[in-house]
Amino acid sequence: MRYSETFIPTLRDDPADAEVVSHKLMVRAGMIRKVAAGVYNYLPLGWRVIGKVEQIVREEMTRGGAQELRMPAVQPAELWQESGRWGVYGKELLRMSDRHGRDFCIGPTHEEIITDLVRGEVRSYKQLPLNLYQIQTKFRDEIRPRFGLMRGREFIMKDGYSFDADEAGAEATYRRMEEAYHRIFARMGLDFRAVEADSGQIGGSFSHEFMVLAATGEDDVVSCTTCDYAANSEKATSRVSPPEERETPALKTVDTPGVHSVEEVAEFLKTSPDRLIKTLIFDTGTEGDGRFVAVLIRGDREVNEVKLVNTLGADGERLTLAANPDIERITGGAVGFSGPVGLKGVRVVADRSVADLTDAVTGANQADRHHTHVLPGRDFPLGETADLDTARAGDGCPRCATGKLVIQRGIEVGHIFKLGTKYSEAMQATFLDPQGKKQPFVMGCYGIGIGRTAAASIEQNHDGNGILWPMAIAPAHVVLIGMNMKSEAVRDTAERLYVELRKRGVEVLFDDRAERAGVKLTDFELLGIPLALLVGDRGVEKGSLELKERKDGSTTEVPMDDVVDRVADKVREALGGHGG
Ligand code: ATP
Ligand code: MG
């Protein structure tokens, strides 16, 4: 690529609508331009980065046993009606109708299309497993498109779908994809965590989000400082040690006038917040006896609503905190003084932390009164217990004996998920097993945001002057800078190196513009290409050139005869045996 002939419209200033650094820098480096909210043009340099990300994804998906195909962006409503999603997907789904008045949508994802394809073609277990993927444009009418490519409305996704004959097969495919994802993000040079994510009703550890760690991430990533445990904040668990075990004298009811918060109650009753049992009343929004649920948790901990929803199953779907009049009626007492002792007519679910408590304190279901010396199991039945707790930084790691949890921000770049038979059952997608019996396919789905991955790389790798691309996804490996293109010696040397470097498989952006050297160096920093080879009069005379690293700004003098080898070696090293 000759800079003078390439469309790289760089900007000095940040665009006014950009909030995060990747958005600012991609616009300033002439990689993207906005067309409408969340809809972008990808300019040549940006498109090269996208191409690199896609290529790594392709290679590793192939290694993981998946095959590439291509499905349409436009999808007929009938398939979405069959899966039941036409009615529930909501406003993110861009719907339209054709000239005959038939309904269509632009695909935000492709489970329906692929399930329809496979059910039409695959008859026997002998044709399984099958793992298919595409790299394609999606449309989701996001409420708040923002952050450039990070949350667009039109965006490029790699989406893959697997079909297996049984659970064991589906799990093996899932593990292969998990490994492929590790290789993909490692090759891109990203600092990432594979976190256990909430897999709703499916259970088990069959949903992982791949998170690039960056301060601007929209998600919390909980991970261990010592072992490889990592989970998103909706799913994370921790080791919470109980307060010291004590003899629990007979239950007492005491006046606690005007004390409300956990801290106030603990102080007033000369105990600690971790000996309090909080009682929260939730409304499941259903009719009948099971409508209200009392949730018990230790005073110093918080309920994680996603865990609660999953624990409650079908009752969790429309969960809200109960209204005050309902709380008063159910507990027979005042709001703020609820407790499990004597509570009747509601489902009670206790967090695990409550089961270990001794000599505890609870609300007495009367205004301004609490019970002390409460022993769970003795003074109220300990029925259902579950992990409902929100993990916190500093908590013990649930996996290893010594580690502590930390919470960092992350950007979700990929998501793998075991779907089970959700779509195959809804859409009657079946095959014949060895006994000749119809069975639904056991499915999995695997997504990667291609543009979001490129943007996440910038969030993680940049400095005050511009982008710092890892070699594997940089738009070029080296910028060959003709420091003064008026000089014939510089021009001749640079032209020769341009040819020789490319012969060695090095991707070169040859800055052959009639600009000042300072301008070229500033653009080199903005574009974030990992290396710059500076060709100036002095170097040509001396017989050695400066090779500059974008990452740390360091320069080394390289003898003219070694320059091509040195650059090619550096590129090869950085790519770790892949490509180059
Ligand atoms: P999010 O929670 O960020 O909205 P999602 O759960 O809706 O993501 P999936 O449906 O699992 O995402 O899509 C797979 C991948 O596609 C995501 O991991 C992400 O990298 C990417 N992606 C999703 N929505 C967008 C978007 N609006 N813009 C760019 N990439 C996206
Ligand atoms: Mg989404």
Side-chain angles (χ1 to χ4, degrees):
M1 271 178 296
R2 285 173 189 275
Y3 204 128
S4 63
E5 296 168 359
T6 311
F7 183 40
I8 312 174
T10 57
L11 301 174
R12 287 268 163 271
D13 298 313
D14 289 334
D17 65 341
E19 295 169 63
V20 295
V21 70
S22 60
H23 186 188
K24 290 177 189 167
L25 289 175
M26 282 184 129
V27 173
R28 283 190 46 208
M31 296 189 167
I32 58 169
R33 284 293 184 271
K34 185 164 114 178
V35 177
V39 179
Y40 289 88
N41 285 315
Y42 300 83
L43 277 45
L45 280 198
W47 192 241
R48 286 183 66 89
V49 172
I50 295 292
K52 297 259 178 115
V53 173
E54 290 183 352
Q55 191 52 29
I56 291 174
V57 169
R58 281 199 176 91
E59 287 171 16
E60 298 304 336
M61 289 299 288
T62 305
R63 266 225 273 173
Q67 302 168 54
E68 187 170 5
L69 51 46
R70 175 79 161 198
M71 292 178 268
V74 174
Q75 309 185 6
E78 287 80 33
L79 292 176
W80 284 73
Q81 282 150 356
E82 232 186 294
S83 73
R85 286 208 288 186
W86 187 256
V88 297
Y89 208 93
K91 290 192 169 168
E92 269 191 26
L93 188 64
L94 185 66
R95 297 158 208 255
M96 61 203 175
S97 51
D98 70 5
R99 64 171 73 200
H100 307 292
R102 291 191 196 106
D103 289 328
F104 288 86
C105 63
I106 303 194
T109 174
H110 280 68
E111 282 83 1
E112 282 78 3
I113 300 281
I114 196 102
T115 306
D116 178 52
L117 173 71
V118 171
R119 75 176 164 184
E121 308 301 327
V122 177
R123 302 262 166 264
S124 158
Y125 73 95
K126 289 180 196 151
Q127 293 161 278
L128 298 175
L130 198 54
N131 189 352
L132 302 166
Y133 78 97
Q134 65 175 345
I135 295 178
Q136 206 223 26
T137 298
K138 301 278 187 266
F139 195 94
R140 294 182 184 178
D141 202 352
E142 302 270 358
I143 314 182
R144 284 188 68 201
R146 56 192 175 141
F147 304 163
L149 298 193
M150 206 107 83
R151 185 168 296 283
R153 292 197 295 167
E154 186 185 290
F155 59 97
I156 304 168
M157 195 201 289
K158 186 284 293 179
D159 49 325
Y161 307 89
S162 64
F163 297 81
D164 274 276
D166 52 30
E167 291 291 327
E171 293 180 15
T173 303
Y174 183 91
R175 297 299 165 211
R176 282 190 86 181
M177 287 293 101
E178 192 180 350
E179 286 161 18
Y181 273 48
H182 275 277
R183 291 195 301 266
I184 287 169
F185 298 114
R187 271 183 69 181
M188 291 180 195
L190 297 169
D191 183 12
F192 69 96
R193 300 279 181 281
V195 309
E196 286 176 20
D198 169 42
S199 46
Q201 314 280 19
I202 290 183
S205 60
F206 289 108
S207 173
H208 284 84
E209 287 167 351
F210 286 74
M211 297 285 199
V212 168
L213 298 178
T216 44
E218 291 182 289
D219 297 295
D220 279 331
V221 177
V222 180
S223 65
C224 176
T225 48
T226 309
C227 74
D228 66 359
Y229 176 76
N232 77 13
S233 55
E234 294 174 348
K235 164 103 184 202
T237 62
S238 56
R239 249 183 317 108
V240 179
S241 16
E244 188 201 350
E245 194 176 332
R246 279 194 208 153
E247 280 297 311
T248 311
L251 180 118
K252 238 176 99 181
T253 309
V254 294
D255 289 329
T256 50
V259 287
H260 288 281
S261 71
V262 166
E263 288 70 28
E264 287 168 358
V265 173
E267 203 187 318
F268 187 84
L269 294 174
K270 302 199 167 34
T271 184
S272 50
D274 60 7
R275 283 193 190 271
L276 259 63
I277 300 171
K278 283 192 282 198
T279 306
L280 301 155
I281 312 286
F282 286 88
D283 188 340
T284 65
T286 52
E287 293 301 313
D289 285 353
R291 175 160 168 197
F292 294 96
V293 181
V295 176
L296 312 182
I297 191 161
R298 226 167 74 176
D300 61 330
R301 309 296 302 185
E302 301 298 329
V303 171
N304 177 321
E305 285 209 23
V306 176
K307 289 185 185 175
L308 178 59
V309 164
N310 289 338
T311 302
L312 296 179
D315 283 345
E317 280 165 18
R318 278 175 292 173
L319 204 69
T320 52
L321 274 172
N324 287 352
D326 288 326
I327 296 175
E328 283 163 14
R329 188 167 40 75
I330 291 158
T331 64
V335 172
F337 296 91
S338 303
V341 179
L343 196 61
K344 290 207 175 60
V346 286
R347 180 173 172 187
V348 180
V349 187
D351 176 57
R352 298 175 309 176
S353 61
V354 171
D356 297 332
L357 285 181
T358 50
D359 201 17
V361 169
T362 73
N365 298 324
Q366 299 168 41
D368 292 333
R369 303 197 86 190
H370 279 81
H371 293 308
T372 57
H373 306 317
V374 178
L375 185 63
R378 180 190 76 183
D379 298 315
F380 64 91
L382 251 184
E384 255 182 281
T385 55
D387 171 17
L388 302 174
D389 180 57
T390 308
R392 275 188 214 155
D395 284 352
C397 171
R399 189 168 294 163
C400 71
T402 50
K404 292 251 178 289
L405 298 183
V406 288
I407 302 185
Q408 291 159 289
R409 302 295 279 174
I411 300 165
E412 182 201 318
V413 289
H415 191 182
I416 59 176
F417 200 93
K418 185 164 161 249
L419 289 169
T421 54
K422 181 176 167 190
Y423 291 91
S424 47
E425 277 181 24
M427 297 179 67
Q428 289 165 29
T430 58
F431 63 95
L432 296 177
D433 71 10
Q435 283 73 46
K437 219 175 129 227
K438 270 191 191 173
Q439 300 288 356
F441 297 103
V442 187
M443 293 172 59
C445 69
Y446 317 96
I448 290 180
I450 300 291
R452 188 184 284 184
T453 300
S457 171
I458 299 178
E459 293 296 330
Q460 198 173 72
N461 305 290
H462 65 271
D463 64 16
N465 299 329
I467 302 170
L468 300 166
W469 290 113
M471 191 66 81
I473 59 172
H477 298 145
V478 62
V479 185
L480 175 66
I481 301 184
M483 303 291 275
N484 170 17
M485 290 300 284
K486 284 198 197 104
S487 149
E488 197 179 322
V490 165
R491 262 197 334 261
D492 288 351
T493 306
E495 291 286 352
R496 177 175 59 79
L497 289 170
Y498 183 45
V499 173
E500 286 178 11
L501 284 166
R502 283 183 300 152
K503 265 196 205 142
R504 296 288 299 274
V506 176
E507 297 176 12
V508 186
L509 176 61
F510 177 17
D511 197 341
D512 59 344
R513 294 175 298 169
E515 294 281 356
R516 282 181 297 113
V519 170
K520 295 185 180 189
L521 288 166
T522 305
D523 283 335
F524 156 67
E525 292 194 321
L526 176 61
L527 300 187
I529 291 165
L531 298 169
L533 186 58
L534 316 187
V535 186
D537 277 314
R538 212 149 32 92
V540 174
E541 256 164 50
K542 262 200 314 190
S544 65
L545 299 182
E546 277 182 41
L547 182 61
K548 195 174 172 76
E549 305 254 359
R550 173 65 185 93
K551 208 160 207 131
D552 54 11
S554 65
T555 48
T556 33
E557 293 244 338
V558 185
M560 191 67 86
D561 290 345
D562 299 343
V563 156
V564 173
D565 281 342
R566 181 72 65 87
V567 172
D569 287 349
K570 275 204 171 284
V571 170
R572 197 152 23 85
E573 239 169 69
L575 293 177
H578 295 283

